[in-house]
Amino acid sequence: MTEREQLIAKFADLILESKNIVALTGAGMSTESGIPDFRSPGTGLWTKVDPDEFASIHSYVSSTSKNLKLMLEMGTTIFRAKPNKGHKALTQLQKMGKLKGVLTQNIDGLHSKARTKNVVELHGTANESKCLRCKRVYPITTLINQVLRGKNSPTCEECGGLLKPNAIFFGEPLESAVLRKADEMIADLELMIVLGSSLLVYPVAFYPHKAIAAGAKLAIINIQPTEMDHQAEVVIHDKIGNVLPQIIE
């Protein structure tokens, strides 16, 4: 048995031994669906544009039109994307009665498209827009249609406030209700599987620490090493679609 086969077998054994599993997924989960990640050298979005200029709430409010141009280009890629083998493998794991739910940093909605249930979108969703004044939520098409009609700053139909994509921008806190759902999900878990996350973005990166502190085990699939590798039972540095379907099988 090769070293890779041994890692896959060990990963599978952890799943077999666990009844309550939660997956934590990051941008690497969706790169195989054609959605670029943020931090990979040479290809990550933040190597091409300044996140302070194009992804902070302050820059969005002050330069809405410029920000929306980039976001709509990204949105086209996201809306055309389809779940990949990794997303489908998680759905299969859930159908086996093993996977309690998914905590995701991704805003693309691909877990739901893959029919995985109990998904907590920690950083919001690209499928909605939200008024910054009254907090009313609309489908993202409400914002897009206004922009396509030439409106540089889309507004709320209720109060006239500025609309933004309902994703968390730099400078915005995560929603307290979402954090409560995440905490409820990881209560009593036995195994956390980290998939495609660099574990560099907080507070999301605290969840593996919380899991281990509560007595759960940790397993990781990510192309690049993470700061939690040394605390995981098993780590596989590869694409999720290359590995997770084999583990589930």
Side-chain angles (χ1 to χ4, degrees), residues 190-230:
E190 297 171 306
L191 174 65
M192 175 170 282
I193 301 175
V194 174
L195 301 170
S197 176
S198 60
L199 298 178
L200 293 174
V201 178
Y202 287 83
V204 174
F206 280 127
Y207 286 111
H209 294 276
K210 287 183 176 182
I212 290 174
K217 295 179 179 178
L218 179 67
I220 298 173
I221 303 174
N222 196 55
I223 290 180
Q224 303 293 336
T226 79
E227 64 174 26
M228 293 296 292
D229 282 7
H230 68 289

mmCIF file of all heavy atoms in Angstrom, residues 190-230:
data_model
loop_
_atom_site.group_PDB
_atom_site.id
_atom_site.type_symbol
_atom_site.label_atom_id
_atom_site.label_comp_id
_atom_site.label_asym_id
_atom_site.label_seq_id
_atom_site.Cartn_x
_atom_site.Cartn_y
_atom_site.Cartn_z
ATOM 1 N N GLU A 190 -17.839 14.771 16.542
ATOM 2 C CA GLU A 190 -16.743 13.833 16.801
ATOM 3 C C GLU A 190 -15.587 14.020 15.821
ATOM 4 O O GLU A 190 -14.448 13.681 16.125
ATOM 5 C CB GLU A 190 -17.260 12.397 16.706
ATOM 6 C CG GLU A 190 -18.308 12.063 17.755
ATOM 7 C CD GLU A 190 -18.963 10.724 17.509
ATOM 8 O OE1 GLU A 190 -19.484 10.508 16.397
ATOM 9 O OE2 GLU A 190 -18.947 9.898 18.434
ATOM 10 N N LEU A 191 -15.903 14.542 14.641
ATOM 11 C CA LEU A 191 -14.875 14.723 13.608
ATOM 12 C C LEU A 191 -15.182 15.970 12.794
ATOM 13 O O LEU A 191 -16.306 16.143 12.324
ATOM 14 C CB LEU A 191 -14.829 13.498 12.688
ATOM 15 C CG LEU A 191 -13.901 13.578 11.474
ATOM 16 C CD1 LEU A 191 -12.434 13.674 11.907
ATOM 17 C CD2 LEU A 191 -14.109 12.376 10.548
ATOM 18 N N MET A 192 -14.184 16.843 12.649
ATOM 19 C CA MET A 192 -14.296 17.972 11.731
ATOM 20 C C MET A 192 -13.387 17.709 10.534
ATOM 21 O O MET A 192 -12.208 17.389 10.688
ATOM 22 C CB MET A 192 -13.902 19.295 12.400
ATOM 23 C CG MET A 192 -13.886 20.475 11.415
ATOM 24 S SD MET A 192 -13.713 22.095 12.223
ATOM 25 C CE MET A 192 -15.392 22.350 12.803
ATOM 26 N N ILE A 193 -13.969 17.826 9.345
ATOM 27 C CA ILE A 193 -13.219 17.665 8.101
ATOM 28 C C ILE A 193 -13.044 19.040 7.474
ATOM 29 O O ILE A 193 -14.027 19.706 7.135
ATOM 30 C CB ILE A 193 -13.964 16.744 7.124
ATOM 31 C CG1 ILE A 193 -14.195 15.359 7.742
ATOM 32 C CG2 ILE A 193 -13.194 16.623 5.819
ATOM 33 C CD1 ILE A 193 -15.043 14.449 6.866
ATOM 34 N N VAL A 194 -11.816 19.485 7.341
ATOM 35 C CA VAL A 194 -11.522 20.765 6.699
ATOM 36 C C VAL A 194 -11.195 20.499 5.237
ATOM 37 O O VAL A 194 -10.304 19.699 4.924
ATOM 38 C CB VAL A 194 -10.344 21.483 7.387
ATOM 39 C CG1 VAL A 194 -9.961 22.748 6.620
ATOM 40 C CG2 VAL A 194 -10.709 21.836 8.828
ATOM 41 N N LEU A 195 -11.903 21.180 4.343
ATOM 42 C CA LEU A 195 -11.750 20.957 2.913
ATOM 43 C C LEU A 195 -11.492 22.268 2.188
ATOM 44 O O LEU A 195 -12.357 23.141 2.143
ATOM 45 C CB LEU A 195 -13.019 20.299 2.347
ATOM 46 C CG LEU A 195 -13.416 18.939 2.946
ATOM 47 C CD1 LEU A 195 -14.803 18.546 2.479
ATOM 48 C CD2 LEU A 195 -12.394 17.876 2.581
ATOM 49 N N GLY A 196 -10.288 22.421 1.669
ATOM 50 C CA GLY A 196 -9.998 23.563 0.809
ATOM 51 C C GLY A 196 -9.948 24.898 1.503
ATOM 52 O O GLY A 196 -10.237 25.926 0.892
ATOM 53 N N SER A 197 -9.570 24.903 2.771
ATOM 54 C CA SER A 197 -9.433 26.166 3.500
ATOM 55 C C SER A 197 -8.003 26.333 3.978
ATOM 56 O O SER A 197 -7.403 25.394 4.523
ATOM 57 C CB SER A 197 -10.384 26.222 4.697
ATOM 58 O OG SER A 197 -10.170 27.414 5.438
ATOM 59 N N SER A 198 -7.473 27.532 3.809
ATOM 60 C CA SER A 198 -6.127 27.844 4.297
ATOM 61 C C SER A 198 -6.116 28.061 5.800
ATOM 62 O O SER A 198 -5.060 28.109 6.422
ATOM 63 C CB SER A 198 -5.597 29.102 3.594
ATOM 64 O OG SER A 198 -6.468 30.201 3.856
ATOM 65 N N LEU A 199 -7.306 28.232 6.388
ATOM 66 C CA LEU A 199 -7.471 28.507 7.824
ATOM 67 C C LEU A 199 -6.698 29.758 8.246
ATOM 68 O O LEU A 199 -6.123 29.828 9.321
ATOM 69 C CB LEU A 199 -7.041 27.295 8.660
ATOM 70 C CG LEU A 199 -7.856 26.010 8.408
ATOM 71 C CD1 LEU A 199 -7.311 24.864 9.241
ATOM 72 C CD2 LEU A 199 -9.338 26.238 8.709
ATOM 73 N N LEU A 200 -6.728 30.759 7.380
ATOM 74 C CA LEU A 200 -6.061 32.031 7.667
ATOM 75 C C LEU A 200 -7.052 33.139 8.012
ATOM 76 O O LEU A 200 -6.653 34.189 8.504
ATOM 77 C CB LEU A 200 -5.223 32.472 6.457
ATOM 78 C CG LEU A 200 -4.004 31.617 6.116
ATOM 79 C CD1 LEU A 200 -3.363 32.091 4.816
ATOM 80 C CD2 LEU A 200 -2.979 31.664 7.245
ATOM 81 N N VAL A 201 -8.338 32.914 7.722
ATOM 82 C CA VAL A 201 -9.341 33.953 7.920
ATOM 83 C C VAL A 201 -10.087 33.695 9.225
ATOM 84 O O VAL A 201 -10.690 32.636 9.408
ATOM 85 C CB VAL A 201 -10.337 34.002 6.746
ATOM 86 C CG1 VAL A 201 -11.409 35.050 6.989
ATOM 87 C CG2 VAL A 201 -9.599 34.290 5.441
ATOM 88 N N TYR A 202 -10.040 34.664 10.116
ATOM 89 C CA TYR A 202 -10.741 34.555 11.393
ATOM 90 C C TYR A 202 -12.007 35.413 11.359
ATOM 91 O O TYR A 202 -12.062 36.388 10.609
ATOM 92 C CB TYR A 202 -9.805 35.015 12.529
ATOM 93 C CG TYR A 202 -8.716 34.006 12.810
ATOM 94 C CD1 TYR A 202 -7.548 33.988 12.042
ATOM 95 C CD2 TYR A 202 -8.864 33.052 13.805
ATOM 96 C CE1 TYR A 202 -6.562 33.040 12.274
ATOM 97 C CE2 TYR A 202 -7.866 32.111 14.048
ATOM 98 C CZ TYR A 202 -6.725 32.115 13.291
ATOM 99 O OH TYR A 202 -5.757 31.163 13.525
ATOM 100 N N PRO A 203 -13.046 35.042 12.100
ATOM 101 C CA PRO A 203 -13.071 34.039 13.166
ATOM 102 C C PRO A 203 -13.294 32.601 12.716
ATOM 103 O O PRO A 203 -13.283 31.692 13.525
ATOM 104 C CB PRO A 203 -14.229 34.503 14.046
ATOM 105 C CG PRO A 203 -15.167 35.154 13.093
ATOM 106 C CD PRO A 203 -14.302 35.839 12.064
ATOM 107 N N VAL A 204 -13.490 32.374 11.393
ATOM 108 C CA VAL A 204 -13.775 31.017 10.923
ATOM 109 C C VAL A 204 -12.667 30.041 11.305
ATOM 110 O O VAL A 204 -12.927 28.886 11.663
ATOM 111 C CB VAL A 204 -13.995 31.016 9.394
ATOM 112 C CG1 VAL A 204 -14.146 29.596 8.875
ATOM 113 C CG2 VAL A 204 -15.233 31.839 9.050
ATOM 114 N N ALA A 205 -11.437 30.496 11.252
ATOM 115 C CA ALA A 205 -10.305 29.613 11.537
ATOM 116 C C ALA A 205 -10.263 29.145 12.993
ATOM 117 O O ALA A 205 -9.488 28.248 13.337
ATOM 118 C CB ALA A 205 -9.003 30.316 11.177
ATOM 119 N N PHE A 206 -11.119 29.732 13.844
ATOM 120 C CA PHE A 206 -11.179 29.266 15.233
ATOM 121 C C PHE A 206 -11.901 27.921 15.355
ATOM 122 O O PHE A 206 -11.717 27.198 16.336
ATOM 123 C CB PHE A 206 -11.916 30.287 16.114
ATOM 124 C CG PHE A 206 -11.074 31.452 16.537
ATOM 125 C CD1 PHE A 206 -11.510 32.756 16.313
ATOM 126 C CD2 PHE A 206 -9.851 31.266 17.176
ATOM 127 C CE1 PHE A 206 -10.736 33.844 16.694
ATOM 128 C CE2 PHE A 206 -9.080 32.344 17.564
ATOM 129 C CZ PHE A 206 -9.512 33.633 17.325
ATOM 130 N N TYR A 207 -12.759 27.575 14.373
ATOM 131 C CA TYR A 207 -13.596 26.384 14.533
ATOM 132 C C TYR A 207 -12.808 25.083 14.687
ATOM 133 O O TYR A 207 -13.177 24.249 15.522
ATOM 134 C CB TYR A 207 -14.620 26.294 13.400
ATOM 135 C CG TYR A 207 -15.726 27.311 13.582
ATOM 136 C CD1 TYR A 207 -15.856 28.396 12.723
ATOM 137 C CD2 TYR A 207 -16.624 27.210 14.642
ATOM 138 C CE1 TYR A 207 -16.844 29.346 12.912
ATOM 139 C CE2 TYR A 207 -17.615 28.156 14.842
ATOM 140 C CZ TYR A 207 -17.719 29.220 13.975
ATOM 141 O OH TYR A 207 -18.698 30.166 14.166
ATOM 142 N N PRO A 208 -11.732 24.855 13.940
ATOM 143 C CA PRO A 208 -10.954 23.636 14.209
ATOM 144 C C PRO A 208 -10.365 23.620 15.617
ATOM 145 O O PRO A 208 -10.308 22.558 16.259
ATOM 146 C CB PRO A 208 -9.845 23.685 13.146
ATOM 147 C CG PRO A 208 -10.435 24.493 12.040
ATOM 148 C CD PRO A 208 -11.266 25.534 12.719
ATOM 149 N N HIS A 209 -9.949 24.779 16.125
ATOM 150 C CA HIS A 209 -9.441 24.864 17.499
ATOM 151 C C HIS A 209 -10.547 24.505 18.489
ATOM 152 O O HIS A 209 -10.320 23.758 19.454
ATOM 153 C CB HIS A 209 -8.929 26.280 17.787
ATOM 154 C CG HIS A 209 -7.729 26.675 16.987
ATOM 155 N ND1 HIS A 209 -6.445 26.340 17.352
ATOM 156 C CD2 HIS A 209 -7.628 27.393 15.839
ATOM 157 C CE1 HIS A 209 -5.589 26.830 16.468
ATOM 158 N NE2 HIS A 209 -6.290 27.467 15.543
ATOM 159 N N LYS A 210 -11.766 25.052 18.241
ATOM 160 C CA LYS A 210 -12.898 24.751 19.113
ATOM 161 C C LYS A 210 -13.220 23.253 19.092
ATOM 162 O O LYS A 210 -13.523 22.651 20.121
ATOM 163 C CB LYS A 210 -14.138 25.541 18.672
ATOM 164 C CG LYS A 210 -14.096 27.026 18.989
ATOM 165 C CD LYS A 210 -15.423 27.665 18.569
ATOM 166 C CE LYS A 210 -15.484 29.135 18.937
ATOM 167 N NZ LYS A 210 -16.779 29.742 18.571
ATOM 168 N N ALA A 211 -13.164 22.676 17.912
ATOM 169 C CA ALA A 211 -13.487 21.256 17.770
ATOM 170 C C ALA A 211 -12.519 20.399 18.568
ATOM 171 O O ALA A 211 -12.921 19.496 19.312
ATOM 172 C CB ALA A 211 -13.467 20.858 16.297
ATOM 173 N N ILE A 212 -11.234 20.673 18.426
ATOM 174 C CA ILE A 212 -10.222 19.898 19.139
ATOM 175 C C ILE A 212 -10.349 20.103 20.637
ATOM 176 O O ILE A 212 -10.245 19.158 21.427
ATOM 177 C CB ILE A 212 -8.811 20.278 18.637
ATOM 178 C CG1 ILE A 212 -8.619 19.766 17.210
ATOM 179 C CG2 ILE A 212 -7.730 19.710 19.552
ATOM 180 C CD1 ILE A 212 -7.325 20.204 16.564
ATOM 181 N N ALA A 213 -10.602 21.340 21.049
ATOM 182 C CA ALA A 213 -10.755 21.628 22.481
ATOM 183 C C ALA A 213 -11.941 20.876 23.081
ATOM 184 O O ALA A 213 -11.928 20.529 24.270
ATOM 185 C CB ALA A 213 -10.920 23.126 22.693
ATOM 186 N N ALA A 214 -12.943 20.591 22.254
ATOM 187 C CA ALA A 214 -14.123 19.873 22.725
ATOM 188 C C ALA A 214 -13.964 18.358 22.635
ATOM 189 O O ALA A 214 -14.899 17.616 22.931
ATOM 190 C CB ALA A 214 -15.346 20.312 21.925
ATOM 191 N N GLY A 215 -12.786 17.916 22.182
ATOM 192 C CA GLY A 215 -12.514 16.488 22.129
ATOM 193 C C GLY A 215 -12.723 15.839 20.775
ATOM 194 O O GLY A 215 -12.601 14.616 20.644
ATOM 195 N N ALA A 216 -13.032 16.636 19.760
ATOM 196 C CA ALA A 216 -13.232 16.088 18.421
ATOM 197 C C ALA A 216 -11.893 15.876 17.721
ATOM 198 O O ALA A 216 -10.873 16.466 18.091
ATOM 199 C CB ALA A 216 -14.110 17.020 17.592
ATOM 200 N N LYS A 217 -11.916 15.047 16.687
ATOM 201 C CA LYS A 217 -10.731 14.831 15.860
ATOM 202 C C LYS A 217 -10.810 15.719 14.629
ATOM 203 O O LYS A 217 -11.881 16.202 14.258
ATOM 204 C CB LYS A 217 -10.619 13.355 15.474
ATOM 205 C CG LYS A 217 -10.373 12.437 16.662
ATOM 206 C CD LYS A 217 -10.298 10.982 16.243
ATOM 207 C CE LYS A 217 -10.022 10.087 17.451
ATOM 208 N NZ LYS A 217 -9.989 8.651 17.077
ATOM 209 N N LEU A 218 -9.653 15.914 13.997
ATOM 210 C CA LEU A 218 -9.555 16.820 12.849
ATOM 211 C C LEU A 218 -8.892 16.093 11.685
ATOM 212 O O LEU A 218 -7.896 15.391 11.874
ATOM 213 C CB LEU A 218 -8.746 18.057 13.234
ATOM 214 C CG LEU A 218 -8.519 19.127 12.158
ATOM 215 C CD1 LEU A 218 -9.834 19.796 11.778
ATOM 216 C CD2 LEU A 218 -7.525 20.183 12.661
ATOM 217 N N ALA A 219 -9.458 16.267 10.483
ATOM 218 C CA ALA A 219 -8.866 15.724 9.262
ATOM 219 C C ALA A 219 -8.909 16.821 8.191
ATOM 220 O O ALA A 219 -9.874 17.585 8.117
ATOM 221 C CB ALA A 219 -9.619 14.491 8.795
ATOM 222 N N ILE A 220 -7.861 16.918 7.378
ATOM 223 C CA ILE A 220 -7.724 18.045 6.446
ATOM 224 C C ILE A 220 -7.375 17.557 5.044
ATOM 225 O O ILE A 220 -6.504 16.704 4.872
ATOM 226 C CB ILE A 220 -6.623 19.018 6.928
ATOM 227 C CG1 ILE A 220 -6.981 19.612 8.306
ATOM 228 C CG2 ILE A 220 -6.401 20.143 5.910
ATOM 229 C CD1 ILE A 220 -5.860 20.447 8.923
ATOM 230 N N ILE A 221 -8.057 18.125 4.048
ATOM 231 C CA ILE A 221 -7.641 18.010 2.645
ATOM 232 C C ILE A 221 -7.481 19.426 2.115
ATOM 233 O O ILE A 221 -8.438 20.188 2.057
ATOM 234 C CB ILE A 221 -8.672 17.253 1.781
ATOM 235 C CG1 ILE A 221 -8.942 15.858 2.342
ATOM 236 C CG2 ILE A 221 -8.170 17.153 0.340
ATOM 237 C CD1 ILE A 221 -10.064 15.124 1.597
ATOM 238 N N ASN A 222 -6.269 19.784 1.746
ATOM 239 C CA ASN A 222 -5.991 21.122 1.213
ATOM 240 C C ASN A 222 -4.697 21.052 0.414
ATOM 241 O O ASN A 222 -3.763 20.355 0.810
ATOM 242 C CB ASN A 222 -5.857 22.144 2.352
ATOM 243 C CG ASN A 222 -5.948 23.573 1.853
ATOM 244 O OD1 ASN A 222 -6.918 23.942 1.196
ATOM 245 N ND2 ASN A 222 -4.932 24.381 2.139
ATOM 246 N N ILE A 223 -4.634 21.760 -0.681
ATOM 247 C CA ILE A 223 -3.424 21.698 -1.507
ATOM 248 C C ILE A 223 -2.223 22.244 -0.749
ATOM 249 O O ILE A 223 -1.143 21.645 -0.745
ATOM 250 C CB ILE A 223 -3.632 22.468 -2.836
ATOM 251 C CG1 ILE A 223 -4.625 21.714 -3.724
ATOM 252 C CG2 ILE A 223 -2.310 22.655 -3.570
ATOM 253 C CD1 ILE A 223 -4.902 22.373 -5.046
ATOM 254 N N GLN A 224 -2.401 23.374 -0.075
ATOM 255 C CA GLN A 224 -1.313 23.993 0.675
ATOM 256 C C GLN A 224 -1.370 23.566 2.142
ATOM 257 O O GLN A 224 -2.438 23.273 2.660
ATOM 258 C CB GLN A 224 -1.418 25.524 0.590
ATOM 259 C CG GLN A 224 -1.416 26.094 -0.827
ATOM 260 C CD GLN A 224 -0.104 25.907 -1.535
ATOM 261 O OE1 GLN A 224 0.944 25.762 -0.910
ATOM 262 N NE2 GLN A 224 -0.145 25.892 -2.869
ATOM 263 N N PRO A 225 -0.220 23.532 2.824
ATOM 264 C CA PRO A 225 -0.224 23.268 4.272
ATOM 265 C C PRO A 225 -1.012 24.339 5.013
ATOM 266 O O PRO A 225 -1.126 25.484 4.556
ATOM 267 C CB PRO A 225 1.260 23.328 4.639
ATOM 268 C CG PRO A 225 1.997 23.075 3.368
ATOM 269 C CD PRO A 225 1.150 23.676 2.289
ATOM 270 N N THR A 226 -1.586 23.978 6.168
ATOM 271 C CA THR A 226 -2.283 24.929 7.023
ATOM 272 C C THR A 226 -1.632 24.929 8.403
ATOM 273 O O THR A 226 -0.869 24.011 8.744
ATOM 274 C CB THR A 226 -3.772 24.563 7.192
ATOM 275 O OG1 THR A 226 -3.896 23.501 8.151
ATOM 276 C CG2 THR A 226 -4.391 24.126 5.873
ATOM 277 N N GLU A 227 -1.960 25.931 9.195
ATOM 278 C CA GLU A 227 -1.381 26.025 10.537
ATOM 279 C C GLU A 227 -1.917 24.946 11.474
ATOM 280 O O GLU A 227 -1.375 24.744 12.568
ATOM 281 C CB GLU A 227 -1.654 27.405 11.136
ATOM 282 C CG GLU A 227 -3.121 27.706 11.360
ATOM 283 C CD GLU A 227 -3.367 29.030 12.085
ATOM 284 O OE1 GLU A 227 -2.516 29.922 11.981
ATOM 285 O OE2 GLU A 227 -4.418 29.134 12.731
ATOM 286 N N MET A 228 -2.962 24.235 11.049
ATOM 287 C CA MET A 228 -3.558 23.186 11.876
ATOM 288 C C MET A 228 -3.108 21.783 11.475
ATOM 289 O O MET A 228 -3.538 20.802 12.097
ATOM 290 C CB MET A 228 -5.080 23.272 11.821
ATOM 291 C CG MET A 228 -5.685 24.505 12.456
ATOM 292 S SD MET A 228 -5.376 24.595 14.240
ATOM 293 C CE MET A 228 -6.368 23.217 14.824
ATOM 294 N N ASP A 229 -2.252 21.668 10.485
ATOM 295 C CA ASP A 229 -1.843 20.343 10.009
ATOM 296 C C ASP A 229 -1.274 19.482 11.135
ATOM 297 O O ASP A 229 -1.543 18.283 11.205
ATOM 298 C CB ASP A 229 -0.797 20.473 8.898
ATOM 299 C CG ASP A 229 -1.416 20.851 7.550
ATOM 300 O OD1 ASP A 229 -2.627 21.137 7.508
ATOM 301 O OD2 ASP A 229 -0.670 20.882 6.547
ATOM 302 N N HIS A 230 -0.496 20.114 12.006
ATOM 303 C CA HIS A 230 0.183 19.337 13.060
ATOM 304 C C HIS A 230 -0.786 18.815 14.120
ATOM 305 O O HIS A 230 -0.432 17.921 14.892
ATOM 306 C CB HIS A 230 1.266 20.192 13.724
ATOM 307 C CG HIS A 230 0.746 21.349 14.527
ATOM 308 N ND1 HIS A 230 0.180 22.460 13.946
ATOM 309 C CD2 HIS A 230 0.683 21.546 15.875
ATOM 310 C CE1 HIS A 230 -0.202 23.302 14.895
ATOM 311 N NE2 HIS A 230 0.087 22.775 16.065
#
